[in-house]
């Protein structure tokens, strides 16, 4: 089994994005002449677009400082360390996995949109034509790997151990693999590279779009499961008033307009 890793790199949108730049932090209640800055990280569009839209809608007394970060692990490490106050980059199962592995206490506070995931191939046009022994690239984190394996099982490409929760399945839980599929597990952000090498690749729509592909037009098998809705996530030192301001901004009409304009996602609020 092969694994690839990204070198963490943070691209800041706006000067001084990692500095507080305000009279108070997100754990403070804004006074009459104060503005609380909330640093919110996302990885790729449309999540980055939604953060920008929410920044324009945040109520008086608050401002959102958007950051773009290149990988999901770095986002959560920053959030757990208090380097940022919130993120919009993950679903709750991914967050829970991070919390368990890192003794962290990140909290999902608002579902924003559901998204269609799928498997893609540059070598076959129909899933029935997938050859025996095909190389299949799936994510290396457990929540997304389980989702990928469940989708393959739901389409009769393999059978999972019935004693195992399919959402928590790993490649070791494959009970029957009649086509002799070979699995390559990599980080989500690296799956586009795997598309050039593997016969079948699992990917989020926000990433596969960089290759000019969409679930509707190019997904050989697809799935939308609301347990994987993208969530606004905060650190444990963010107060309730700040969370309420964030929730209002991320469920605003401006955010809804962005979601409804994208056929690969749908509102979850």
């Amino acid at each position: 089994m092969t694994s690839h890793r990204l070198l963490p790199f943070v691209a800041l949108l706006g000067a001084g994005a990692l500095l507080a730049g305000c009279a108070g932090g997100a754990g403070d209640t804004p006074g009459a002449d104060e503005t609380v800055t909330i640093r919110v990280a996302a990885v790729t569009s449309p999540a980055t677009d939604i953060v920008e839209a929410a920044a324009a809608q945040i109520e008086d007394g608050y401002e959102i400082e958007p950051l773009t970060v290149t990988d999901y692990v770095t986002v959560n490490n920053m959030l757990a360390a208090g380097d940022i106050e919130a993120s919009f980059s993950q679903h709750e199962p991914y967050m829970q996995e991070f919390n368990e592995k890192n003794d962290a206490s990140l909290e999902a506070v608002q579902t924003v949109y559901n998204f269609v995931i799928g498997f893609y191939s540059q070598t076959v046009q129909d899933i029935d034509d997938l050859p025996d022994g095909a190389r299949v690239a799936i994510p290396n984190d457990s929540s997304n790997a389980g989702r990928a394996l469940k989708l393959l099982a739901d389409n009769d490409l393999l059978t999972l151990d019935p004693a195992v929760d399919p959402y928590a399945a790993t490649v070791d839980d494959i009970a029957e693999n009649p086509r002799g599929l070979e699995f390559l597990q990599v980080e989500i952000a690296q799956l586009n590279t795997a598309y050039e090498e593997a016969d079948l690749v699992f990917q989020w729509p926000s990433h596969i779009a960089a290759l000019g592909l969409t679930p509707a037009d190019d997904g050989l098998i697809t799935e939308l499961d609301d347990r994987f809705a993208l969530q606004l996530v905060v650190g444990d030192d963010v107060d309730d008033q700040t969370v309420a301001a964030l929730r209002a901004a991320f469920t605003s009409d401006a955010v809804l307009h962005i979601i409804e304009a994208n056929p690969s996602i749908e509102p979850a609020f």
Side-chain angles (χ1 to χ4, degrees):
M1 187 177 298
T2 304
S3 176
H4 302 276
R5 294 185 179 274
L6 276 181
L7 293 176
F9 173 80
V10 179
L12 304 182
L13 299 181
L18 284 178
L19 301 177
C22 60
D28 302 322
T29 300
D33 299 320
E34 296 178 345
T35 298
V36 172
T37 297
I38 312 165
R39 297 162 294 186
V40 183
V43 174
T44 188
S45 178
T48 51
D49 305 320
I50 287 175
V51 174
E52 293 282 355
Q57 301 299 314
I58 195 78
E59 67 184 58
D60 291 344
Y62 296 94
E63 65 178 4
I64 289 176
E65 191 80 55
L67 294 86
T68 300
V69 181
T70 58
D71 73 277
Y72 301 94
V73 175
T74 299
V75 170
N76 279 352
N77 285 335
M78 293 171 67
L79 190 53
D83 295 328
I84 58 176
E85 285 70 49
S87 74
F88 184 54
S89 64
Q90 63 197 301
H91 47 64
E92 190 165 5
Y94 185 89
M95 182 204 72
Q96 291 172 341
E97 179 184 351
F98 178 85
N99 281 346
E100 292 168 3
K101 289 183 175 180
N102 296 276
D103 194 27
S105 52
L106 308 186
E107 181 182 0
V109 296
Q110 179 64 54
T111 55
V112 180
Y113 67 74
N114 295 322
F115 55 97
V116 179
I117 54 87
F119 276 94
Y120 302 84
S121 178
Q122 65 172 349
T123 59
V124 300
Q125 300 299 312
D126 190 296
I127 195 65
D128 292 334
D129 297 328
L130 190 69
D132 290 347
R135 294 203 301 168
V136 181
I138 63 174
N140 65 351
D141 66 278
S142 62
S143 60
N144 286 299
R147 187 181 190 183
L149 292 170
K150 181 179 182 298
L151 182 55
L152 293 173
D154 288 345
N155 285 271
D156 301 322
L157 291 167
L158 54 81
T159 302
L160 296 173
D161 183 345
V164 174
D165 177 358
Y167 289 103
T170 71
V171 292
D172 293 332
D173 298 314
I174 298 173
E176 297 179 14
N177 185 5
R179 300 198 186 190
L181 303 179
E182 177 186 344
F183 289 92
L184 171 71
Q185 292 190 259
V186 300
E187 293 179 2
I188 289 173
Q190 296 283 12
L191 285 167
N192 279 11
T193 300
Y195 177 78
E196 303 299 326
E197 306 168 0
D199 300 292
L200 191 66
V201 177
F202 174 98
Q203 188 53 292
W204 288 24
S206 54
H207 288 286
I208 206 69
L211 300 181
L213 305 176
T214 68
D217 294 335
D218 306 290
L220 298 187
I221 49 175
T222 61
E223 169 254 271
L224 188 150
D225 187 332
D226 59 10
R227 77 164 56 199
F228 297 102
L230 211 67
Q231 293 261 8
L232 176 66
V233 173
V234 300
D236 60 4
D237 59 348
V238 179
D239 65 80
D240 291 345
Q241 187 172 341
T242 300
V243 170
L246 282 168
R247 293 181 67 183
F250 274 83
T251 56
S252 63
D253 288 343
V255 168
L256 184 62
H257 177 74
I258 291 174
I259 296 171
E260 291 180 337
N262 188 324
S264 296
I265 61 179
E266 64 177 34
F269 58 86

